[in-house]
Amino acid sequence: METPKRKALIELKNYLTHLKDLGYTEIPCETELLANVAQETAQPSLSTNKMSKNISLGAVQKELGDCTRCKLSEGRKNIVFGSGNANADLVFVGEGPGADEDEQGLPFVGRSGKKLTEIIEKGMGLNREKDTYICNIVKCRPPGNRDPEPDEVSACNPFLIEQLQAIKPKVIVALGKSASSTLLGRTVPIVKERGTWHEYAGIKLMLTFHPSYLIRFYTLENRKAVHEDMKKVLKELGR
Ligand code: SF4
């Protein structure tokens, strides 16, 4: 049984791992911590808003403009803002654009995108454009498809928050470790935590594998796992 002491130790371990992932080599003083870590994590600022702000996706995109708020702007061809139904009940959040997405300015249009479309349309029986909205935690392609760095995630995060505020979905699905960790504000061991429900600013949040992980590790077990996760999402949506 998980005692309160053990739970606290696990939370402390997760928090310290998250600090390490953010690039800290020692525990920062409280002021620095509050200033820096709060910016890195979406959950604290959102939890006070509870998606109450009235804002349109168009206004968010206008505010983003020809963004140069982080170094990812230097190598991009196109900003990949997001696509789908602005009033969707279901939003998928991925990590960042790849080469195809950068080329076309649209999210999930490459190989991973085809896999995601297959999951949505064949697996869930939904229409990708009509029933979902898809975006990423960073809107410009990280060079060589590397993971987005903490300062890049931090610079782009306010726009992800506003996108979600504009759409107000019933369910968010975080695709993979980066999206899950950004939305929950801690390092998420995705293999362990996929398939579990969480909350993001009052909205149900499901964690699952990124389609590219599924392509790389195309096992029956992984496919079944994503299928089960999406069944839970459909149930929550009443579909
Ligand atoms: S990743 Fe986000 S914050 Fe960075 S330049 Fe692109 S749009 Fe701006």
Side-chain angles (χ1 to χ4, degrees):
M1 203 180 86
E2 199 167 86
T3 62
K5 192 174 163 191
R6 182 171 155 70
K7 198 168 169 242
L9 281 171
I10 290 169
E11 280 173 8
L12 178 63
K13 184 174 166 249
N14 285 341
Y15 178 62
L16 291 173
T17 308
H18 184 56
L19 285 180
K20 193 174 159 213
D21 286 355
L22 292 176
Y24 286 98
T25 53
E26 53 192 42
I27 298 173
C29 71
E30 194 183 3
T31 316
E32 190 190 348
L33 201 65
L34 289 174
N36 294 338
V37 178
Q39 279 181 18
E40 308 289 350
T41 58
Q43 192 76 17
S45 57
L46 259 177
S47 60
T48 54
N49 284 334
K50 293 281 179 194
M51 296 292 170
S52 58
K53 206 168 155 187
N54 273 328
I55 186 166
S56 74
L57 268 185
V60 181
Q61 195 162 9
K62 198 171 166 199
E63 188 188 344
L64 184 69
D66 190 21
C67 183
T68 54
R69 290 171 181 84
C70 85
K71 59 188 179 298
L72 291 183
S73 63
E74 291 160 17
R76 72 158 183 247
K77 284 188 184 162
N78 287 296
I79 292 181
V80 180
F81 183 72
S83 75
N85 182 350
N87 298 307
D89 284 343
L90 176 59
V91 171
F92 288 91
V93 179
E95 182 180 293
D100 295 313
E101 289 76 15
D102 182 44
E103 197 66 49
Q104 297 181 43
L106 291 167
F108 284 91
V109 288
R111 216 167 147 227
S112 296
K114 280 200 188 108
K115 179 53 69 189
L116 181 59
T117 305
E118 191 185 305
I119 291 167
I120 294 170
E121 306 213 331
K122 283 195 192 152
M124 303 177 81
L126 302 177
N127 180 288
R128 173 173 160 162
E129 284 306 309
K130 285 189 193 150
D131 297 321
T132 75
Y133 187 87
I134 302 173
C135 56
N136 286 302
I137 55 170
V138 291
K139 303 187 182 337
C140 301
R141 184 192 179 201
N145 291 346
R146 65 158 169 75
D147 290 347
E149 290 173 359
D151 60 316
E152 297 157 357
V153 174
S154 177
C156 221
N157 200 33
F159 298 97
L160 175 62
I161 293 172
E162 288 194 343
Q163 275 177 306
L164 295 170
Q165 284 173 337
I167 301 165
K168 297 185 182 71
K170 286 185 185 152
V171 174
I172 299 168
V173 175
L175 299 167
K177 181 179 172 134
S178 287
S180 303
S181 300
T182 298
L183 292 173
L184 287 176
R186 63 177 170 84
T187 301
V188 172
I190 192 67
V191 174
K192 196 172 154 206
E193 291 200 38
R194 63 131 282 277
T196 56
W197 282 112
H198 299 262
E199 199 178 285
Y200 181 83
I203 295 174
K204 298 282 278 187
L205 170 67
M206 168 59 65
L207 315 182
T208 195
F209 291 139
H210 193 283
S212 65
Y213 177 88
L214 209 51
I215 292 169
R216 254 183 295 139
F217 303 99
Y218 199 63
T219 63
L220 184 62
E221 191 189 359
N222 286 343
R223 277 181 284 156
K224 263 190 187 167
V226 173
H227 183 66
E228 288 304 314
D229 301 347
M230 294 308 102
K231 262 170 56 183
K232 288 181 193 170
V233 168
L234 284 173
K235 192 172 173 207
E236 186 62 34
L237 291 170
R239 309 276 296 235

